[in-house]
């Protein structure tokens, strides 16, 4: 893909994110055909937005299949938190376990073992907000979603878990309440079994950013699939016996 096509795709996605019209699709000449091209569009979009990266959402359990989406610092908030429903109109939510880097990650860390990963990270709960810059999420090709920060709209982050053995995460129980109603309850519901696997694959991926700063959060996939809220709803997630985390989709206008 030529640089002008990458820039054009990024311009359209940035404009849609900043309140412009939703996209039906990217122009034919600016459609990514590989994840590397989608990642380049992400980087160009970040530059246009003037944003920093607070976190990454990741998928794939081997370095060569790893995919990731940047989560903007302005969209990463502590629990409890509030997001304007108008800002993230898809109102998708996913209960996820994430990992905070306790060291800067550089090129040499592409050979990390799982045991080393555990020593270099802390565990914390999150609610990912799923949103799209396209008119219909269901119709968006995977690589278009990838270019669109993997359809991320925001992230709500809870307090670090200091007493949870990492190997117990595969059997973690989760309950999700939306608008006062329990809509999901599962035990060991992560699609990859262990959420550490996609996080580790991302850090080992040859194409990931060369340096990832200490404090960056890596959120690693839902324990209950994609759920939907409505404007005005509060979302409460409980992982096992840990304190709940929550967010509210306010009906106030988008700032």
């Amino acid at each position: 893909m030529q640089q002008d096509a990458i820039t054009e795709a990024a311009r359209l996605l940035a404009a849609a994110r900043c309140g412009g019209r939703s996209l039906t699709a990217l122009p034919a000449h600016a459609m990514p055909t590989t994840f590397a091209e989608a990642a380049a569009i992400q980087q160009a979009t970040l530059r246009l937005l003037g944003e920093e990266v607070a976190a990454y959402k990741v998928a794939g359990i081997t370095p060569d299949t790893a995919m990731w989406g940047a989560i903007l610092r302005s969209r990463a908030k502590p629990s409890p938190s509030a997001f304007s429903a108008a800002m993230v109109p898809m109102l998708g939510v996913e209960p996820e376990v994430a990992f905070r880097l306790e060291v800067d990650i550089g090129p040499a860390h592409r050979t990390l073992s799982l045991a080393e990963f555990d020593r270099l990270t802390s565990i914390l709960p999150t609610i990912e907000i799923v949103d799209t810059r396209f008119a219909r999420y269901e119709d968006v090709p995977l690589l278009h979603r990838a270019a669109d920060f993997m359809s991320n709209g925001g992230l709500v982050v809870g307090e670090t878990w200091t007493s949870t053995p990492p190997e117990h995460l595969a059997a973690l129980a989760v309950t999700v309440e939306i608008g006062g109603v329990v809509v999901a309850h599962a035990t060991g519901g992560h699609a990859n079994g262990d959420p550490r696997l996609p996080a580790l694959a991302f850090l080992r991926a040859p194409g990931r950013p060369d340096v990832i700063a200490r404090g960056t959060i890596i959120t690693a996939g839902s324990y209950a699939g994609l759920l939907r809220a409505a404007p005005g709803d509060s979302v409460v997630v409980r992982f096992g016996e840990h304190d709940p985390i929550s967010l509210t989709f306010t009906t106030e206008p988008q700032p």
Side-chain angles (χ1 to χ4, degrees), residues 57 128-131 133 137 145 148-153:
K57 61 175 294 186
E128 189 204 348
I129 299 170
V130 181
D131 194 39
R133 268 44 65 182
Y137 174 80
R145 295 184 191 181
D148 183 26
F149 296 144
M150 295 276 284
S151 301
N152 177 261

Side-chain angles (χ1 to χ4, degrees), residues 13 26 32 38-39 41-42 45 142-150:
L13 289 166
L26 292 172
I41 293 170
Q42 286 191 43
T45 306
L142 176 61
L143 288 176
H144 284 52
R145 295 184 191 181
D148 183 26
F149 296 144
M150 295 276 284

Side-chain angles (χ1 to χ4, degrees), residues 207-218:
R208 56 94 166 153
D210 281 342
V211 177
I212 307 174
R214 176 182 179 181
T216 301
I217 294 168
I218 304 169

Side-chain angles (χ1 to χ4, degrees), residues 28 113 120 134 136 152 160 174 194 234 252:
S113 68
L120 299 180
F134 294 91
R136 279 182 49 82
N152 177 261
T160 303
V174 61
D194 188 336
S234 290
E252 299 171 357

Side-chain angles (χ1 to χ4, degrees), residues 81-85 232-235 246-250:
S81 194
F83 279 75
S84 167
D233 278 348
S234 290
V235 179
S246 63
L247 72 94
T248 299
F249 290 115
T250 69

